[in-house]
Amino acid sequence: NYTIESIAFSPTGTFFAMGTSNGCIQLWNPLTASIPTDLPFQSKNEFMHHDADSAILSLTFSADAIALLASADEKGNCKVWSCTTGAEVATFPNCHQSGITSVSWNAEASQLLTSSYDKTCKILSLKTGAVLRVFRGHESWVSGAVYSVDWSSIYSTSSDGTCRIWNVASGECTKIVRPAFNALSFIVPVQNSFLIGGSSTLLINSKGTIEQTLEMPSESQLLHCALSGRGDFFFGITSAFELAVF
């Protein structure tokens, strides 16, 4: 028995990856709701996987034609896979002291940005397997981290109630945003701004200034939010088990 812990769509929408509580990663066809038969390794029931007792907390596809998938688990391990062969391309064992809450690619698909329950964010090198930079400063676990549009900054949110802006080159925190509510549960990049959410949802520009507050029609809060492909709508899942569209 297992539960689904994470999901991510490929950039082309050809398939989506599903990570489970027993460390298994499967690629599915979203149109047929089935496992693609044209992937030889999956047709042989040879799935990508972490340790059997390590839940997959985060998944993300590279945006280039190489078709790589990064996965991160609750024990602080991160791996990179070939979506064509299912082979393990790179591994980062114990790159965090606790579970990894998010993982994302840089522009060249040569590095990974991770955030963790250990209160840090890190940049990992696929070429060397080394930790290139560590971002410390949050006082509680980091719920997510993303790159800015120009890749020069990193935005992170934490259950300590802050959003931090970091300089990628120096690793320094250049801005701390303290919204008037507690724990922040997600962060989504939006052009030259980013969306953060908790008991309220805010649109913040790259300088850390609040541009807009998205008001919920009820007392429920957004648990996670995603931007539509064209960038004109936000879709959010609420604590009242509803789908909110902005």
Side-chain angles (χ1 to χ4, degrees):
N1 296 328
Y2 61 85
T3 58
I4 299 172
E5 300 291 331
S6 54
I7 191 170
F9 271 88
S10 64
T12 61
T14 306
F15 42 69
F16 66 87
M18 182 175 68
T20 67
S21 58
N22 65 353
C24 183
I25 304 164
Q26 300 176 355
L27 300 181
W28 285 70
N29 185 319
L31 299 179
T32 63
S34 63
I35 295 177
T37 57
D38 57 346
L39 295 174
F41 66 99
Q42 289 200 154
S43 64
K44 299 177 183 177
N45 289 326
E46 298 174 354
F47 298 103
M48 300 173 282
H49 62 85
H50 288 229
D51 290 342
D53 58 347
S54 297
I56 307 299
L57 302 184
S58 184
L59 294 164
T60 183
F61 287 91
S62 62
D64 55 21
I66 302 176
L68 298 176
L69 174 67
S71 58
D73 67 31
E74 64 179 345
K75 291 187 175 181
N77 305 300
C78 188
K79 295 187 177 186
V80 177
W81 312 86
S82 165
C83 296
T84 304
T85 65
E88 186 178 300
V89 176
T91 182
F92 303 90
N94 304 118
C95 56
H96 281 279
Q97 296 178 0
S98 300
I100 298 173
T101 56
S102 73
V103 58
S104 58
W105 295 91
N106 70 338
E108 297 80 19
S110 60
Q111 299 173 3
L112 290 172
L113 169 65
T114 58
S115 63
S116 171
Y117 286 108
D118 67 9
K119 306 179 186 179
T120 70
C121 301
K122 296 184 178 183
I123 294 180
L124 313 175
S125 168
L126 263 70
K127 183 177 181 180
T128 65
V131 176
L132 300 179
R133 195 166 298 285
V134 182
F135 302 88
R136 293 186 175 91
H138 281 296
E139 298 176 357
S140 186
W141 60 275
V142 185
S143 54
V146 295
Y147 281 102
S148 61
V149 175
D150 62 5
W151 308 98
S152 65
S153 300
I154 288 172
Y155 310 135
S156 62
T157 50
S158 170
S159 65
D160 64 12
T162 68
C163 173
R164 290 176 180 252
I165 302 177
W166 311 83
N167 181 284
V168 172
S170 67
E172 296 181 357
C173 178
T174 59
K175 180 79 173 182
I176 301 177
V177 182
R178 301 181 186 276
F181 53 89
N182 295 323
L184 300 175
S185 56
F186 67 84
I187 182 166
V188 179
V190 185
Q191 296 180 350
N192 293 321
S193 304
F194 54 96
L195 193 70
I196 64 172
S199 57
S200 184
T201 302
L202 307 174
L203 183 65
I204 299 176
N205 64 27
S206 58
K207 296 181 180 180
T209 302
I210 297 174
E211 292 185 337
Q212 185 178 358
T213 301
L214 304 183
E215 300 290 347
M216 293 293 294
S218 63
E219 295 183 357
S220 62
Q221 70 181 67
L222 287 178
L223 302 178
H224 190 69
C225 194
L227 185 66
S228 64
R230 295 181 179 179
D232 48 358
F233 289 99
F234 297 119
F235 295 87
I237 300 297
T238 77
S239 56
F241 307 102
E242 300 171 329
L243 175 66
V245 182
F246 298 93

